[in-house]
Structures are given as structure tokens and as C-alpha cells.
Amino acid sequence: MRHRAVLTLAFLALPLAAQDITGGLYTGLSLPGGDLKDKSGWGTNQFFGVHVGGHLEFPIAPRQEIRAHLTYQSFPGSGWGGFENAQNDFKILQAGADWVYRFRSPNLGWYALAGASLNSVKNDWEYTDGAGIRRGGSYSQSGKLGARGGAGYIFNRNFSVEGTLNQVFVDKHGGDGFNFDTATWLQASAVFRFGR
């Protein structure tokens, strides 16, 4: 009987606890940097990628929150030219949490963020072999640690823009090695928030 009473109280408390939780969607451009972009024959050799994601915000203090997010990145590749004409497309699924500090208020002004994530990174590749035959395959790495930091500006309770610098630590060597050890990109997002 006590277990039922505790469960009933827990279910009644859920809507009260959820009142302060908000969320949103975001999308924008991702600009690969470093080896992810320009390592000859291994990077994307493209200036832009795109991303889409969602987040939940959990307030911890009047101007601070923890933001859980799930983001999908797509970095299409273009050929490196030359005899082999190698091309690398990268896709990254990122799940993480950010600490967000709002300098003015929850619904207006500048904010800063810093966070960590776990990432699944996939490289789909193609090249032309010595016989002129086009060959391809993929490498994938999961559970890779990432870090990011950035800033944004809130225009109103439902819209903000933000930029982050992201870095994911990947395996350079091995059967699924990318031939570089960090994937770095800048992410510019339009953020649409709900529930405020």
C-alpha cells in the first residue's frame, strides 16, 4: 500500500516539476575546420555542412540552466581531384549537455554556454582505383567524447541565434581510423524555443 502511495505522489509531482522545463529546435550551417575540412584526401573539402537538432532546458538558478541536446550534423564532401578523386562525406550524431549562463534575463540578451557530448561519427568515402573503377565504403566510430563552447543572443522568448565551436576526439588509426584525431567545426544556429 505504501508503494502505491509513493507512486501516486510521484506521478502527481511530475507535472509540477515539468512546468519549468522548456525545449526547442534549432538548425543552421556548420563550417568544418582543421583536418575535418582540409586534410588532403581525407577531409570534406567543402566550406559548409548543415545541422538540425532539439534540446530541453532545465533551470538550476535564476539565470542558469542545463540544456540537454541531440544534434545531427551532415558534412557533404567534394572530390579532392587528382587521379584517385577521393570524396569523404561525414555524418555526426551528437548527444550532450551544456551549462548555459544568461547575462541579463531568460528572455532577452546575451548568453554563454559550455558543454560535453558523446558522438557517433560516420565517414562515407569513395575513390577511383588504379583501374579506373569507383570504389567506396564507410568507417564509423561511436562513443567519442566531444566538447564545445559558444555564445548566443536571445531576441525574445521564442527566438535566439547562437554560435559554438565544437571538437570531437576521434581515432586516427585502426580499422575505422579517419587519419586525423580531432573533428572540429563552427556551428551557427537559429534557435526556436517553446514553453516559455
Side-chain angles (χ1 to χ4, degrees):
M1 186 64 148
R2 282 193 317 189
H3 295 295
R4 286 185 186 166
V6 169
L7 284 174
T8 302
L9 287 175
F11 282 116
L12 289 174
L14 280 176
L16 296 174
Q19 286 180 359
D20 291 335
I21 298 174
T22 58
L25 301 172
Y26 53 91
T27 189
L29 295 176
S30 301
L31 289 77
D35 289 341
L36 178 62
K37 179 185 184 303
D38 58 18
K39 183 151 190 181
S40 184
W42 296 93
T44 68
N45 199 27
Q46 284 277 38
F47 191 68
F48 288 117
V50 295
H51 66 272
V52 64
H55 69 272
L56 292 174
E57 301 169 342
F58 302 89
I60 57 174
R63 291 184 296 178
Q64 299 179 58
E65 66 192 29
I66 298 296
R67 183 171 71 180
H69 66 89
L70 183 66
T71 309
Y72 176 75
Q73 303 277 347
S74 177
F75 296 101
S78 63
W80 281 97
F83 183 73
E84 291 188 343
N85 195 23
Q87 179 174 329
N88 298 286
D89 299 331
F90 287 88
K91 294 173 179 50
I92 302 172
L93 183 61
Q94 183 178 63
D98 299 326
W99 169 75
V100 179
Y101 181 80
R102 302 183 189 285
F103 294 103
R104 185 171 174 187
S105 77
N107 296 317
L108 183 66
W110 291 100
Y111 63 93
L113 65 93
S117 62
L118 288 177
N119 300 268
S120 177
V121 184
K122 184 177 181 185
N123 172 17
D124 294 316
W125 51 268
E126 288 185 344
Y127 73 97
T128 305
D129 70 10
I133 299 171
R134 197 76 177 151
R135 301 195 182 273
S138 65
Y139 299 136
S140 61
Q141 300 179 17
S142 296
K144 297 302 170 185
L145 184 63
R148 73 180 192 162
Y153 189 84
I154 303 168
F155 291 94
N156 58 48
R157 58 182 284 169
N158 299 117
F159 181 73
S160 63
V161 293
E162 73 180 36
T164 58
L165 175 63
N166 297 263
Q167 190 165 47
V168 175
F169 305 98
V170 295
D171 293 332
K172 182 174 185 175
H173 303 292
D176 283 329
F178 296 149
N179 207 32
F180 54 85
D181 52 16
T182 55
T184 304
W185 69 91
L186 289 171
Q187 180 174 308
S189 304
V191 183
F192 304 92
R193 292 169 32 235
F194 311 104
R196 288 189 182 271

